[in-house]
Amino acid sequence: GIQVEQSPPDLILQEGANSTLRCNFSDSVNNLQWFHQNPWGQLINLFYIPSGTKQNGRLSATTVATERYSLLYISSSQTTDSGVYFCAVEPRQGGSEKLVFGKGTKLTVNP
Amino acid sequence: KAGVTQTPRYLIKTRGQQVTLSCSPISGHRSVSWYQQTPGQGLQFLFEYFSETQRNKGNFPGRFSGRQFSNSRSEMNVSTLELGDSALYLCASSSWGTSGLLSNEQFFGPGTRLTVL
């Protein structure tokens, strides 16, 4: 089945710093989503971005479907940005999985 | 519009018991999916339901089952619980298949944290 790899696995920043999280996937996808998992476990939707670029405040994301990767940019990070960021894809062909998740990037923003 | 709701939020069971978890999708959403999250395996797809029919099923044993009702609410059941079933169970809904709306964006509920002793 499709493989989804996220990097880096862990990231520690000082408040105010910028960061880039990467998601590589091994096959064509119909859809790609970025989530932030809060401390209580809920997955918060950040972007639904099968291709192109989107921005939402300090966050932006770019997916280059032809090269099979997506990037999540966080600018001027805040302590509330801490948590785990997941990339998830819907495979285009074969398989039976609705969404395949990467293992996540754990972000810690220190004051 | 209310989000995806899941009940109960926390559950403690013992090995061998069975458990039923419930999920109510966003109003108007007819597609419901279930996922299991564990520290070791991460987030894994369990199954998807649309119009009371299972569309997809992940690689889980038959002890894991689900169903969807005519109002799109869904339940999942785990029989003969094992210690390894301790996990966060997440439900998601999307508007996929709804007339005029073909978005497959998944929206997740807060999850049910199951502990098996």
Side-chain angles (χ1 to χ4, degrees), chain A residues 9 18 23 27 36 40-41 49 51-52 55 65 71 75 79 85 94-95 99-101 104 110-111:
Chain A
N18 302 330
C23 172
D27 208 341
H36 177 209
W40 298 272
I49 186 168
S51 63
Q55 182 156 5
L71 302 174
S75 64
T79 56
Y85 291 79
L99 280 181
V100 179
F101 283 80
N110 293 319

Side-chain angles (χ1 to χ4, degrees), chain A residues 55-73:
Chain A
Q55 182 156 5
N56 184 4
R58 295 182 296 103
L59 274 59
S60 64
T62 295
T63 297
V64 184
T66 53
E67 297 186 21
R68 299 179 184 168
Y69 73 89
S70 182
L71 302 174
L72 176 68
Y73 305 97

Side-chain angles (χ1 to χ4, degrees), chain A residues 31 33 35 37 39-43 45 47-48 86 90 95-99 101-103, chain B residues 9 33 35 37 43 45 48 55-58 88 90 103-110 113:
Chain A
N31 300 304
Q33 288 187 249
F35 298 94
Q37 189 164 41
W40 298 272
Q42 182 157 10
L43 290 171
N45 289 43
F47 294 102
Y48 173 70
F86 288 101
E90 180 188 358
S96 59
E97 296 177 280
K98 186 67 173 178
L99 280 181
F101 283 80
K103 294 190 180 302
Chain B
R9 294 292 312 278
S33 302
Y35 296 80
Q37 185 177 25
L43 279 150
F45 170 74
E48 179 197 9
R55 290 189 66 235
N56 291 298
K57 188 178 191 303
L88 179 65
L90 293 163
S103 171
N104 217 1
E105 183 176 7
Q106 303 288 307
F107 295 88
F108 282 80
R113 193 168 296 276

Side-chain angles (χ1 to χ4, degrees), chain A residues 3-94:
Chain A
Q3 303 297 312
V4 181
E5 295 183 358
Q6 291 187 243
S7 60
D10 295 279
L11 187 58
I12 300 175
L13 302 173
Q14 287 299 122
E15 203 167 24
N18 302 330
S19 61
T20 301
L21 283 57
R22 187 177 180 101
C23 172
N24 292 332
F25 43 97
S26 60
D27 208 341
S28 300
V29 300
N30 286 330
N31 300 304
L32 186 145
Q33 288 187 249
W34 283 97
F35 298 94
H36 177 209
Q37 189 164 41
N38 69 20
W40 298 272
Q42 182 157 10
L43 290 171
I44 307 301
N45 289 43
L46 296 177
F47 294 102
Y48 173 70
I49 186 168
S51 63
T53 297
K54 290 186 177 180
Q55 182 156 5
N56 184 4
R58 295 182 296 103
L59 274 59
S60 64
T62 295
T63 297
V64 184
T66 53
E67 297 186 21
R68 299 179 184 168
Y69 73 89
S70 182
L71 302 174
L72 176 68
Y73 305 97
I74 305 174
S75 64
S76 304
S77 57
Q78 300 175 358
T79 56
T80 52
D81 294 331
S82 295
V84 183
Y85 291 79
F86 288 101
C87 166
V89 303
E90 180 188 358
R92 177 167 296 173
Q93 295 182 1

Side-chain angles (χ1 to χ4, degrees), chain B residues 52-116:
Chain B
E52 303 176 66
T53 301
Q54 188 179 88
R55 290 189 66 235
N56 291 298
K57 188 178 191 303
N59 188 25
F60 278 82
R63 299 185 298 106
F64 291 81
S65 63
R67 61 178 175 169
Q68 187 180 33
F69 301 95
S70 58
N71 62 358
S72 296
R73 189 178 69 86
S74 177
E75 289 181 348
M76 66 163 283
N77 183 278
V78 187
S79 62
T80 319
L81 284 165
E82 301 177 358
L83 295 179
D85 297 332
S86 295
L88 179 65
Y89 290 89
L90 293 163
C91 169
S93 74
S94 79
S95 61
W96 185 90
T98 303
S99 176
L101 294 171
L102 295 180
S103 171
N104 217 1
E105 183 176 7
Q106 303 288 307
F107 295 88
F108 282 80
T112 294
R113 193 168 296 276
L114 172 65
T115 302
V116 182

